[in-house]
Amino acid sequence: MSNQYIPRAEDKFTFGLWTVGNIGRDPFGDPVRGVVTPVEIVHMLAEVGAWGVNFHDNDLVPIDATAAERDRIVRDFRKAMDDTGIVVPMATTNLFTHPVFRDGAFTSSDPEVRAYALQKTMAAIDLGVELGAETYVFWGGREGTETDVGKCAVDSGRHFRYAINYLCDYVIDQGYNLRFALEPKPNEPRGDIYLPTVGSMLGFIATLDHPEMVGVNPEMAHEQMAGLNFMHAIAQAWEADKLFHIDLNDQNMDRYDQDFRFGSHSIKQAFNVVHFLESVGYDNPRHFDAHAYRSSDLDDVKEFARGCMRTYLILKDKSRQFAADSEIQALIAECTADDGSMSMWLEGGYDPGRNNELRRHLFDRDALGARGKPYERLDQLLIDLLLGVR
Ligand code: GCO
Ligand code: MN
Ligand code: MN
């Protein structure tokens, strides 16, 4: 195995306690793997070469733990972090497992549940910050509906906005160094989840009291479940300065929430994602929000984790090769060639004088329409490169 595919701290590869700790329960079958404790997971992550670990409050501290139990758990966890060098860059709240959240948390139609969700999240924020988290993720798994007859979607949006504004103020009030990252998903576990895509989250963020504190945590499989192009979604988030975090995994489009190992299914899309992140210099955590196949035993879970990181690093290497390939780059230059002749209209915005000229200019529409683009050739060069024959 080549050294160049060994993960390093600067890759900022992270896994959630819930990912490598997944016990393989699904709606049709019981768990197939035993519980691995948070401390054991930290050691396992160190063994496979990850940089960090993320958690939901209750992945670490059971929902019914006493204050003393909480403190003991945190102490043991911190010792495992210190012993291994594993850090906690992100934390989040479980607002979906307990029956209290059966009709949502921040968007529940029960005001008492909404207030409880705020209380639970503030305690979880305290826990995350105590262990070093600088990003706090909000994934609204239960914030949705199966039927829309009982709930007003506008009210639900207002409730969600109220909660995020409230929690931003809490973070400011505490003086925490913490940013929020909202994670959209179209469905599962609800029939439909509010704010289902990266685009809808970005629109929502602009309506908040502290939009500068809030970005997105796009997940590859979530956009794919909606049939969307994940690279386009992260590009929009990046350009808006909102790509605070990323969940990498994989998924066969239009299926159930598969959470496959990164790069295991849509290898070309995975390349596009890595190539984008590496080209723009993305420097926030790279989180693998996936889990091993239900057929895996614990050794195979480690192979799953190693595989996520290895595939990322192989694709990073392919990205370098792509950027250095003169034939590929010449074709891209040909596709995007600009002789500057249109810059008087395409740069500098609207100007009445220049605009009069644009209105009068004669375009040879047929000649323009006859210009082809060598995308077939370019795409095949990428395929050759990815398949290792280039
Ligand atoms: C899912 C989600 C979750 C979230 C996690 C952190 O589909 O279950 O992706 O794994 O990422 O709850 O917020
Ligand atoms: Mn997911
Ligand atoms: Mn996720």
Side-chain angles (χ1 to χ4, degrees), residues 24 67 90 93-94 105 107 111 121 141 247 252 256 270 286 292 295 318 320 326 328 332-333 340 345 363 367 369:
M90 178 272 258
T93 329
N94 184 326
T107 64
T121 303
D247 277 2
N252 194 347
Y256 65 98
R286 294 172 175 81
S295 40
K318 297 284 181 189
R320 264 189 235 113
S326 51
I328 289 176
I332 293 176
W345 297 314
F363 289 96

Side-chain angles (χ1 to χ4, degrees), residues 18 56 90 92 96 137 139 183 185 219 222 247 257 289:
W18 70 94
H56 303 87
M90 178 272 258
T92 182
F96 44 87
V137 163
W139 169 65
E183 179 179 341
K185 186 177 183 182
E219 176 168 317
H222 294 179
D247 277 2
D257 179 13
D289 191 11

Side-chain angles (χ1 to χ4, degrees), residues 263-284:
S264 61
H265 185 271
S266 344
I267 195 70
K268 197 159 99 178
Q269 179 65 209
F271 170 81
N272 289 334
V273 168
V274 172
H275 185 54
F276 178 82
L277 295 176
E278 297 303 319
S279 307
V280 299
Y282 172 84
D283 195 32
N284 292 324

